[in-house]
Amino acid sequence: MANVSVYNMEGAEVGTMELSDAVFGVEVNEHLVHMAVVAQLANKRQGTQKAKTRAEVSGGGRKPWRQKGTGHARQGSNRSPQWKGGGVVFAPAPRDYTIRLNKKEKRAALKSALTSRVQENKFIVVDDLKLDEIKTKKFKAVLDNLKVSKALVVLGEDSDNVVKSARNLPEVKTAYVNTINVYDILKYNTVVASKAAVANIEEVYA
């Protein structure tokens, strides 16, 4: 089992914690992690872009001029793609970009991402992450104590003050255990989690 240090909100080490190998000590599957990131980004796309092809634009019913003898290049329609107001070649049409992974793949990718963060010493456990008021300055001070800037902060329950205090920090994202995902774990330099959140992750994903 991997051992990680546990810090308090002042940045002082107050103990250690053993992480479950079933979640934080798996073999990292880079292919699955890549698939999970691609799927998440693809599933965010709306797929609502649309342009008209030459079959859909109005006009162009008759030949602009006769085939021969005018000195012009031959034309069959004034709505061909080369004309002003003509249709678009291979125009985009509404489509569904969804990529689906099954539950086992999603779970394995998440475990791989968490394991990679532990292996790179970019997983910080805090004994308790709670604020008695909504104050961005106080939460920023906690991150400074932990020597963290760009971070994904994983919280246990009843952490509304922390969530609201972190909203104005552009390089910080807060998440509860049931909303963490592979893309966010990899996007942010460090994962900061409370002990309660770690226990919850092990309970849910083991």
Side-chain angles (χ1 to χ4, degrees):
M1 286 189 173
N3 263 327
V4 294
S5 299
V6 178
Y7 299 90
N8 60 20
M9 290 172 61
E10 284 72 45
E13 187 174 336
V14 293
T16 60
M17 183 179 188
E18 282 193 346
L19 300 178
S20 169
D21 283 344
V23 178
F24 297 98
V26 302
E27 184 180 345
V28 177
N29 189 328
E30 291 184 6
H31 176 62
L32 266 184
V33 171
H34 177 261
M35 283 173 57
V37 172
V38 169
Q40 187 173 339
L41 293 178
N43 295 347
K44 282 183 175 180
R45 298 181 69 177
Q46 285 187 313
T48 53
Q49 67 273 44
K50 176 75 175 79
K52 291 184 178 180
T53 65
R54 62 179 296 171
E56 296 169 314
V57 291
S58 62
R62 65 187 281 273
K63 194 172 169 65
W65 49 74
R66 58 196 175 97
Q67 182 81 343
K68 292 177 178 289
T70 64
H72 292 300
R74 54 196 173 188
Q75 300 290 337
S77 167
N78 61 4
R79 287 298 175 260
S80 297
Q82 72 269 23
W83 283 69
K84 181 178 181 298
V88 178
V89 183
F90 305 130
R95 55 168 286 195
D96 182 8
Y97 287 95
T98 303
I99 296 175
R100 289 183 175 84
L101 299 181
N102 63 43
K103 284 183 181 178
K104 282 187 177 179
E105 288 173 329
K106 289 178 183 176
R107 185 174 288 245
L110 189 70
K111 289 179 182 180
S112 290
L114 289 169
T115 298
S116 70
R117 279 293 176 244
V118 173
Q119 291 174 351
E120 294 164 2
N121 295 321
K122 293 182 177 178
F123 190 86
I124 295 176
V125 180
V126 183
D127 61 348
D128 197 15
L129 264 176
K130 286 187 178 176
L131 295 175
D132 53 5
E133 60 177 332
I134 300 167
K135 199 77 174 173
T136 300
K137 187 184 289 186
K138 283 190 176 181
F139 184 70
K140 181 69 167 65
V142 172
L143 296 181
D144 290 341
N145 292 338
L146 297 170
K147 297 182 174 64
V148 170
S149 55
K150 189 175 182 181
L152 173 68
V153 181
V154 185
L155 303 164
E157 297 175 356
D158 301 326
S159 301
D160 283 350
N161 283 356
V162 177
V163 172
K164 290 175 181 176
S165 297
R167 282 189 302 198
N168 270 348
L169 298 173
E171 294 197 324
V172 174
K173 179 172 182 178
T174 55
Y176 290 107
V177 172
N178 60 345
T179 62
I180 58 175
N181 58 74
V182 175
Y183 177 71
D184 284 341
I185 291 170
L186 299 180
K187 176 183 176 182
Y188 294 90
N189 294 339
T190 310
V191 176
V192 177
S194 65
K195 280 182 74 172
V198 173
N200 203 346
I201 289 171
E202 291 179 345
E203 183 183 342
V204 171
Y205 295 105

